[in-house]
Amino acid sequence: MNDLLSEFLTETHESLDVVDVELVRFEREPNNAQILGNIFRLVHTIKGTCGFLGLPRLEALTHAAETLMGKFRDGMPVTQEAVTLILAVIDRIKEILAELERSQNEPNGADDDLIRDLECTSQSEAAASASAPAADLSVGTLTDQVLERPLRPGEVSLDELERAFRATPTPEPAAPAPAKAAVADDERRAMRDRRDEGRHDGAAKTHTLRVPVDTLERLMTMVSELVLTRNQLLEIMRRNEDSELKSPFQRLSNITGELQEGVMKTRMQPIGNAWAKLPRIVRDIAAELDKKIELVMVGEETELDRQVLELIKDPLTHMVRNSADHGLGTPATRRAAGKPETGTIRLSAHHEGGHIIIEIADDGRGLDTERIRAKAIRLGLISEEEAEKLTEAQIHKFIFAPGFSTATAVTSISGRGVGMDVVKSNIDQIGGTIDLKSVVGQGTIFRIKIPLTLAIISVLIVEADGDRFAIPQIAVVELVNVDADSEHRIERIKDASVLRLRDKLLPLVHLKSLLRLGEADGEAAEVFIVVTQVGNRTFGVVVDRVFHTEEIVVKPMSSMLRHLTMFSGNTILGDGAVIMILDPNGVAEAVGSHADTSIPAEERTEETRAVAADTVSLLVFRAGSGELKAVPLSLVTRIEKIAVREIEFSNGRPMVQYRGVLMPLLLIDADARLRTEGVQSLLVFADRDRSMGLVVDDIVDIVENRLDIQVASRTPGILGSAIVSGRATEIVDVGHFLPLAFEDWFHRAERSEAALTRRILFVDDSAFFRNLLTPVLKAAGYDVRTAAGAEEALAIIDADAQFDFVVADIEMPGMNGFELAERLCHDPRTQHLTLIALSSLTSAATIERGRQAGFHGFIAKFDRAGLLAALKQSQVELARAA
Amino acid sequence: MTTLGQDEIEYVTVMIAGQMFGLPIERVHDVFIPERLTRIPLAPLQIAGVLNLRGRIVTAIDMRRRLALPPREKGEKSMAVGVEHRGESFGLLVDTVGEVLKLPASSRDPNPVNLDLCLARVAHGVHRLDDRLMVILDVDRVFALQAEALAA
């Protein structure tokens, strides 16, 4: 295609999208001269370019529209009919453009109908306003202008136009907006105007360049390859220690990372681009159904990958249509329900971790639970008995079932055979999730969570029957380790494997048998369960081993393999091997689609909420090898920066004088280096009079995050990896470093004699907390034994009751901390024990419940000092009692 | 498509289960030793797996299975002939790759009517060499039939 023409098409498409939005705004705010100015300018530009390119049909149409808008600008009252007419013109223009794009020629045909209507409107309104009380006439001299060609349909000569303008009296200022809404409207308008100004200023200043999408795509592919190659190199570097390539490689690695980020950014587009057509759509629906609807859009500037953007455009449009059509009632019904006549649809977007969250909320009538229930039964999705047991939220989920549409009247708007099932499958396809919440009479909120980009995803590498597979991290909720010693155990009901997980039964599927690699080995000594969530279904995938998480570039599968629903693609790992990427959706299908085999979403949400409360402050930093590292903030005494020249060496070990004593400095791993100049950052861990400094490169952030160690580590000093703020982060085991600083950290002479004899049984299902607190307690001089659950604790006490304290977690699978305390208090052999509860839930009610259960103290998790103080105090009391 | 009608055509010869096959040389991208083949669960038997060839993911097709010939013994080495089909890279797993032969069209015979159906579907005639017969492999049909088989 001719460059000029293709540029014209691109620009015009963009302009028309803007005109669409602006017109809808204009209709609501007919007095906003700025909006009108924008529209006028855009249409004028299109007209001008059409003339230049020799596109007579377009030129005539835009001209007629411009004339009418000119009238508006001159003060002719804006009617809904007039705006509808202009919108119709814009639709016609789009049709012509589409044809132009296809054939490079303006299609044949005439637009006399529209042009006549436009002229008619212009004149009749002009006449109407002419009859209004006359105002000052503009005075000026008319210059005759000569057009060197015959007039086209819809055209008037400039002279005529000029004359008409002058003859048209300026109408009275439009009636003031109703007082009630006036203030709010004005404010809103002022805000918009300000924003508009800002936007225009910005546009004037930033230098932009149009780049074909293909170029960006190619760049992206190349960067993806570069990332893969980098990962391969990294793998080689790991095998070859202390090579002189290390530091240049580090630099290469960093640059690759930045390049990847940079290229990704070029693909990012504001989500507002996908919303541009919505105001117009909502307006048309409102007009057609006689409803009053306001569309509020928040977070239009939120960016996401253009590929993802393309994929969610249609589902979003469909959902907004749905809200406008089914969600919101007519002004009459709304009034009857005691609500304002104008319904609101609120569309919002924001970033959360590596995802974008989009919400579509309406203040309409909410979903009709009864109707959905009845339909679900009629369609045979559930039996009547089952339906009785389901909660409202569970029933609402049926709207995502194939072939489900509750609207009794099939309207032209949403009754097009596209249902929410299509929306959901579109969202599933891009690894997103959709959820909804609906309250009768108050409205419905849909919440969509989608990844920012599809090109590079984070996956968990697992092994089944000797083969490795990748599972997208987005679907992974947690990992459960099952072996002879763990509290978890796989049980069977006939052929179905299940796992008790926090008082729920989790259906399990053995990857080995699912992929027909071999028979699941029921006797395997140790397996891992990848708890996976797809939509509202949660299930466990049983694998032999879990390796690590890795960022991978998804490559499409060969067309010969695309029929395999179990895989979504393949990729090349850092070590050069090709690996298949499991499609959680496909796996979910295979697990069985019975709603009752999965943990209902409703309950899960509650659980998630409970877990969400279980967050800790983590200090995220970089040190040594490239991965981000984190340590619970509560363990860090201070973050220090010291001048490098203050670092001294004693016996080859770096030290620094810190608060009058020598503090040893430790390097986190073999890759870590002390800085050679400037200032060195340190994390200071102190315990009584001793401190050690952990050398770090830089502090990245302090974040509130749920600590969920997903992959255990074999590297000393690292407990494992967790997702912190959407990125894989290594959790540092401080306990590993303390004895490195002082050999005798855990068995020092100066610890209190009294404490020596005190024995603690520390009960916590989380290996992380056990690893974290045990050294602390040992360092304080206690003899510590650990148990991974209440049942195990009881067994230990049964065999040897010689403990002084039981420090127990409250939230544990199986028997919880409260039940454990009750059991211990009621057993005469264990009544003497001092029980201290550790919990992330420290509400008054929980503490009271703990006291009743028999706990003597209630300490917040991570309050290390508090725990030691409580132990010490109890010890004094014990001594006094003795 | 094999370029018929010309006087001489060049073929890359391969051995599959004792039978010699010839692939038109312009269809052959490269010849490589398949290493670190990743098997694909649930895939059709003819697909031996996927492998990484210089950063590209190549789908390996086991020609013995594809042609319904006796399967390879465990541990028996194989070679791969790299071909492209509709923009995708494939590796045809064969036993050995032999020399390139320049053959006159005149020594080509049509498929014998009694040729095994599986072979006949992908064979584009037979060349009479001095010491043996070489079946001409129509590369596109190797994939075309695959699709039919999958659809069935």
Side-chain angles (χ1 to χ4, degrees):
Chain A
M1 191 182 298
N2 165 339
D3 280 353
L4 218 53
L5 188 60
S6 86
E7 192 153 318
F8 162 73
L9 285 172
T10 320
E11 264 176 21
T12 311
H13 274 305
E14 279 169 22
S15 302
L16 287 178
D17 283 345
V18 179
V19 171
D20 251 2
V21 175
E22 297 279 292
L23 265 173
V24 176
R25 272 178 65 194
F26 180 58
E27 188 181 22
R28 265 182 287 146
E29 305 170 37
N31 299 327
N32 191 328
Q34 193 173 1
I35 303 179
L36 182 63
N38 282 347
I39 303 170
F40 195 85
R41 191 169 41 76
L42 289 166
V43 174
H44 185 81
T45 312
I46 297 173
K47 185 187 91 168
T49 326
C50 291
F52 181 68
L53 288 174
L55 303 167
R57 235 186 112 177
L58 279 177
E59 197 187 345
L61 254 181
T62 41
H63 177 83
E66 191 189 359
T67 310
L68 180 55
M69 274 184 288
K71 293 270 161 65
F72 291 152
R73 200 168 55 168
D74 295 337
M76 187 175 98
V78 179
T79 61
Q80 202 195 346
E81 290 72 34
V83 173
T84 309
L85 189 59
I86 296 177
L87 286 172
V89 170
I90 286 168
D91 285 342
R92 180 73 59 87
I93 295 177
K94 281 182 186 163
E95 278 166 31
I96 298 176
L97 284 176
E99 183 58 28
L100 194 58
E101 200 165 354
R102 215 175 48 78
S103 67
Q104 303 194 30
N105 281 317
E106 211 176 27
N108 293 325
D111 309 297
D112 295 343
D113 50 338
L114 279 174
I115 292 173
R116 210 171 26 247
D117 285 349
L118 283 169
E119 281 171 355
C120 224
T121 313
S122 307
Q123 279 155 19
S124 72
E125 310 259 343
S129 37
S131 63
D136 296 336
L137 284 174
S138 322
V139 186
T141 1
L142 287 179
T143 335
D144 276 346
Q145 301 185 47
V146 186
L147 188 69
E148 286 159 358
R149 55 172 173 74
L151 287 177
R152 297 206 178 109
E155 272 187 355
V156 270
S157 72
L158 264 178
D159 302 341
E160 241 178 276
L161 197 66
E162 202 75 2
R163 222 167 280 128
F165 280 167
R166 279 160 200 275
T168 311
T170 332
E172 287 175 296
K180 194 177 66 146
V183 178
D185 270 348
D186 283 345
E187 267 171 20
R188 211 176 306 142
R189 195 174 309 141
M191 254 160 61
R192 275 205 203 113
D193 290 347
R194 267 200 296 282
R195 207 175 51 205
D196 284 349
E197 278 160 30
R199 207 181 288 152
H200 292 150
D201 287 350
K205 274 176 209 146
T206 47
H207 300 282
T208 56
L209 198 62
R210 254 176 225 282
V211 179
V213 169
D214 285 350
T215 310
L216 293 182
E217 293 294 315
R218 228 171 13 251
L219 262 181
M220 188 65 207
T221 320
M222 264 151 29
V223 166
S224 302
E225 295 295 336
L226 186 61
V227 170
L228 286 181
T229 316
R230 192 261 319 261
N231 291 353
Q232 274 162 14
L233 263 179
L234 187 71
E235 199 65 31
I236 296 167
M237 301 294 282
R238 272 196 198 126
R239 286 200 296 271
N240 302 321
E241 300 248 328
D242 58 35
S243 115
E244 57 182 315
L245 293 174
K246 218 148 217 177
S247 100
F249 173 74
Q250 194 60 46
R251 220 166 46 239
L252 175 73
S253 179
N254 289 344
I255 295 171
T256 309
E258 280 169 33
L259 188 61
Q260 183 189 343
E261 219 164 280
V263 173
M264 299 277 260
K265 236 177 235 159
T266 62
R267 287 163 51 103
M268 291 301 207
Q269 284 189 322
I271 192 163
N273 290 6
W275 295 352
K277 293 194 167 54
L278 296 177
R280 166 78 191 277
I281 289 169
V282 169
R283 177 205 173 268
D284 288 353
I285 294 174
E288 189 175 329
L289 301 179
D290 262 337
K291 290 182 182 181
K292 290 187 179 169
I293 305 174
E294 188 184 7
L295 179 68
V296 181
M297 299 194 282
V298 183
E300 295 107 311
E301 69 290 342
T302 315
E303 291 191 319
L304 76 172
D305 190 285
R306 53 165 290 279
Q307 195 187 352
V308 184
L309 189 86
E310 283 305 316
L311 288 167
I312 57 151
K313 218 179 211 167
D314 289 344
L316 276 184
T317 308
H318 179 74
M319 290 175 74
V320 170
R321 265 180 207 281
N322 252 351
S323 292
D325 189 14
H326 305 316
L328 297 174
T330 58
T333 52
R334 289 184 62 88
R335 215 171 28 242
K339 289 198 259 190
E341 284 189 2
T342 304
T344 308
I345 298 175
R346 191 173 183 279
L347 193 58
S348 64
H350 68 274
H351 282 155
E352 206 176 277
H355 295 94
I356 182 166
I357 310 283
I358 304 168
E359 284 187 348
I360 298 147
D362 66 58
D363 63 347
R365 45 199 161 198
L367 293 179
D368 186 337
T369 312
E370 277 322 303
R371 203 141 90 199
I372 299 171
R373 192 199 305 268
K375 178 122 191 209
I377 295 170
R378 199 163 67 244
L379 290 175
L381 297 170
I382 39 164
S383 70
E384 242 165 281
E385 298 79 58
E386 282 168 330
E388 286 305 309
K389 279 182 252 158
L390 295 181
T391 62
E392 281 210 341
Q394 285 167 332
I395 287 173
H396 290 163
K397 299 250 187 287
F398 281 111
I399 64 164
F400 296 121
F404 213 95
S405 168
T406 54
T408 36
V410 171
T411 59
S412 67
I413 290 130
S414 19
R416 286 184 186 149
V418 200
M420 290 302 290
D421 55 326
V422 177
V423 169
K424 182 166 161 38
S425 79
N426 281 358
I427 291 168
D428 280 350
Q429 263 171 29
I430 51 175
T433 56
I434 180 164
D435 236 321
L436 80 105
K437 204 178 140 212
S438 178
V439 179
V440 172
Q442 286 179 27
T444 309
I445 302 177
F446 287 94
R447 192 167 193 267
I448 302 172
K449 181 178 176 184
I450 41 179
L452 288 183
T453 176
L454 302 179
I456 296 191
I457 62 168
S458 176
V459 294
L460 182 69
I461 314 286
V462 301
E463 187 181 278
D465 203 39
D467 283 352
R468 288 180 296 173
F469 297 94
I471 305 179
Q473 273 285 0
I474 181 173
V476 177
V477 183
E478 64 175 304
L479 284 179
V480 180
N481 176 218
V482 176
D483 63 16
D485 307 327
S486 70
E487 66 266 40
H488 298 289
R489 165 166 74 86
I490 297 177
E491 295 170 78
R492 275 171 184 277
I493 308 169
K494 206 165 171 246
D495 291 331
S497 301
V498 290
L499 177 84
R500 292 178 205 224
L501 184 68
R502 285 186 283 277
D503 303 333
K504 300 267 161 37
L505 277 188
L506 184 75
L508 299 181
V509 55
H510 290 263
L511 193 55
K512 211 188 277 186
S513 34
L514 182 70
L515 300 180
R516 294 196 216 125
L517 293 166
E519 264 318 291
D521 181 6
E523 303 305 310
E526 187 184 21
V527 295
F528 289 87
I529 294 167
V530 182
V531 182
T532 310
Q533 187 186 336
V534 176
N536 56 355
R537 282 194 272 160
T538 308
F539 53 89
V541 180
V542 184
V543 299
D544 300 339
R545 288 171 74 188
V546 170
F547 296 97
H548 51 285
T549 57
E550 197 165 323
E551 299 261 290
I552 56 148
V553 180
V554 181
K555 302 205 165 199
M557 277 194 297
S558 157
S559 52
M560 295 209 167
L561 300 169
R562 252 166 239 160
H563 64 289
L564 301 177
T565 53
M566 222 60 88
F567 304 108
S568 58
N570 45 23
T571 190
I572 299 174
L573 284 187
D575 63 7
V578 180
I579 182 172
M580 304 302 292
I581 303 164
L582 280 172
D583 182 350
N585 296 301
V587 177
E589 290 302 310
V591 174
S593 47
H594 316 292
D596 53 349
T597 56
S598 55
I599 297 174
E602 173 75 346
E603 293 164 54
R604 206 196 52 247
T605 322
E606 271 169 31
E607 205 172 279
T608 320
R609 218 175 291 132
V611 174
D614 194 6
T615 58
V616 291
S617 290
L618 288 174
L619 179 80
V620 183
F621 60 95
R622 275 184 219 280
S625 59
E627 294 83 2
L628 283 178
K629 297 185 172 57
V631 61
L633 189 59
S634 55
L635 295 180
V636 180
T637 313
R638 283 180 71 86
I639 300 166
E640 283 289 343
K641 280 193 190 310
I642 52 157
V644 168
R645 57 180 144 60
E646 285 175 22
I647 299 174
E648 300 165 41
F649 286 85
S650 150
N651 282 336
R653 297 173 64 183
M655 305 260 176
V656 66
Q657 287 197 22
Y658 182 70
R659 302 189 174 189
V661 292
L662 268 183
M663 177 172 78
L665 302 184
L666 290 181
L667 298 169
I668 200 151
D669 58 25
D671 294 334
R673 299 273 176 278
L674 277 168
R675 300 193 62 155
T676 49
E677 55 186 14
V679 175
Q680 175 71 54
S681 296
L682 298 176
L683 299 184
V684 178
F685 298 93
D687 189 55
R688 303 213 205 162
D689 54 342
R690 296 219 164 160
S691 313
M692 66 158 241
L694 188 65
V695 172
V696 299
D697 297 336
D698 54 32
I699 307 291
V700 177
D701 203 358
I702 292 174
V703 292
E704 281 286 321
N705 207 93
R706 175 178 161 207
L707 234 196
D708 208 358
I709 298 210
Q710 305 200 330
V711 184
S713 156
R714 299 221 165 121
T715 317
I718 304 294
L719 286 173
S721 300
I723 301 295
V724 176
S725 294
R727 301 183 65 173
T729 305
E730 292 182 344
I731 306 298
V732 174
D733 178 9
V734 178
H736 170 81
F737 294 99
L738 301 181
L740 290 182
F742 299 98
E743 276 86 349
D744 62 347
W745 191 299
F746 291 154
H747 30 88
R748 277 183 283 154
E750 61 263 49
R751 61 190 164 185
S752 78
E753 282 303 315
L756 253 187
T757 54
R758 303 299 179 191
R759 297 185 68 203
I760 296 178
L761 179 61
F762 176 33
V763 194
D764 197 318
D765 61 309
S766 147
F768 174 72
F769 281 100
R770 291 200 304 272
N771 288 337
L772 199 69
L773 278 178
T774 308
V776 172
L777 293 171
K778 280 189 176 159
Y782 296 93
D783 185 357
V784 187
R785 263 201 86 171
T786 59
E791 292 85 354
E792 190 185 335
L794 287 173
I796 291 173
I797 292 172
D798 216 33
D800 165 22
Q802 297 308 306
F803 288 98
D804 299 288
F805 301 101
V806 173
V807 176
D809 186 16
I810 293 296
E811 301 88 19
M812 288 187 289
M815 188 188 292
N816 67 28
F818 296 133
E819 289 159 8
L820 173 67
E822 276 158 13
R823 287 278 280 276
L824 291 175
C825 285
H826 289 103
D827 188 333
R829 288 177 302 155
T830 50
Q831 272 173 351
H832 67 282
L833 290 175
T834 304
L835 308 178
I836 293 173
L838 275 186
S839 175
S840 43
L841 309 166
T842 46
S843 69
T846 326
I847 292 174
E848 179 54 26
R849 167 101 171 80
R851 207 185 53 74
Q852 281 173 7
F855 279 113
H856 299 84
F858 209 99
I859 308 293
K861 255 186 186 178
F862 282 109
D863 183 2
R864 190 176 52 142
L867 175 62
L868 291 179
L871 287 170
K872 199 163 180 186
Q873 197 196 342
S874 313
Q875 222 163 282
V876 173
E877 280 165 17
L878 277 180
R880 216 179 279 142
Chain B
M1 291 305 125
T2 34
T3 44
L4 292 169
Q6 289 171 19
D7 287 329
E8 286 194 320
I9 303 164
E10 280 188 288
Y11 293 100
V12 175
T13 59
V14 299
M15 294 298 289
I16 307 170
Q19 173 62 53
M20 184 190 259
F21 290 86
L23 290 92
I25 197 162
E26 68 273 9
R27 291 302 305 266
V28 177
H29 262 245
D30 47 7
V31 171
F32 56 93
I33 300 169
E35 280 175 326
R36 304 190 67 176
L37 198 60
T38 302
R39 61 177 172 158
I40 305 159
L42 312 172
L45 268 182
Q46 301 108 320
I47 296 181
V50 280
L51 56 90
N52 169 11
L53 182 66
R54 295 184 294 271
R56 290 193 74 169
I57 296 181
V58 174
T59 309
I61 293 177
D62 185 339
M63 289 307 288
R64 281 189 177 232
R65 290 207 186 271
R66 177 68 193 86
L67 304 174
L69 294 166
R72 215 180 316 278
E73 298 283 319
K74 261 220 153 82
E76 226 179 303
K77 291 254 180 338
S78 62
M79 286 293 288
V81 179
V83 296
E84 297 254 320
H85 179 67
R86 296 198 186 147
E88 290 179 29
S89 303
F90 291 91
L92 306 180
L93 299 194
V94 299
D95 300 351
T96 54
V97 177
E99 52 190 334
V100 174
L101 296 180
K102 200 179 264 187
L103 298 173
S106 59
S107 74
R108 190 188 76 91
D109 268 281
N111 290 344
V113 288
N114 60 345
L115 191 65
D116 177 272
L117 199 62
C118 251
L119 274 181
R121 278 185 183 150
V122 293
H124 202 279
V126 179
H127 265 289
R128 289 163 275 120
L129 306 186
D130 292 343
D131 53 343
R132 62 174 103 197
L133 298 171
M134 185 194 85
V135 179
I136 303 166
L137 211 53
D138 185 328
V139 176
D140 287 313
R141 289 212 216 155
V142 169
F143 301 105
L145 281 171
Q146 192 100 23
E148 279 166 36
L150 289 177

